[in-house]
C-alpha cells in the first residue's frame, strides 16, 4: 500500500478523512477501512457505476461511531430512490480492513 500522504490518496479520501487517519497510529489500516466502507455504501445504494469516491465520506461522530456523508451525484441518486443514508461498521487489524454498510429501517433513519 502506498503511503496515505501520496497525492493519489486525495482522489479517494476527503481532507477530513485523511486528517483523521493521519492522527492515528495505523494510518494505512484506517484509510483502507474507509475505502472499504465507501465501496460498501455504493453497493448498498445500488450505485450503477464505479465507486464515487469523492461523493462518499466516512466521518467519525461522537462518541466515536462512523457516519456517512453523501454529496453530489451520489446524494442525488439516494434522494431519487428515496433511500435512507446508509450506516456503516468498520474494522481493521493486523494489516487488514473490512467494512459493512446497510440501509437502516425507515423508522430508524436519522436523515429524512
Amino acid at each position: 500500500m502506498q503511503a496515505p500522504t501520496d497525492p493519489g490518496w486525495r482522489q479517494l479520501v476527503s481532507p477530513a478523512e485523511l486528517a483523521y487517519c493521519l492522527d492515528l497510529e495505523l494510518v494505512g489500516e484506517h484509510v483502507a477501512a474507509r475505502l472499504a466502507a465507501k465501496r460498501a455504501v455504493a453497493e448498498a445504494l445500488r450505485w450503477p457505476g464505479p465507486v464515487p469516491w469523492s461523493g462518499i465520506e466516512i466521518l467519525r461522530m461522537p462518541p466515536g461511531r462512523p457516519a456517512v456523508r453523501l454529496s453530489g451525484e451520489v446524494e442525488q441518486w439516494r434522494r431519487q430512490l428515496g433511500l435512507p443514508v446508509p450506516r456503516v461498521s468498520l474494522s481493521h487489524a493486523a494489516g487488514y480492513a473490512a467494512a459493512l454498510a446497510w440501509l437502516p429501517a425507515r423508522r430508524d433513519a436519522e436523515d429524512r
Side-chain angles (χ1 to χ4, degrees), residues 66-107:
V68 175
R69 181 187 301 160
L70 303 173
S71 63
E73 291 178 344
V74 72
E75 173 61 4
Q76 290 174 345
W77 173 264
R78 180 194 70 81
R79 287 180 184 268
Q80 284 177 332
L81 295 179
L83 298 172
V85 174
R87 304 252 174 93
V88 294
S89 178
L90 289 69
S91 182
H92 59 85
Y96 294 93
L100 298 172
W102 66 95
L103 299 178
R106 299 252 182 240
R107 66 181 179 281

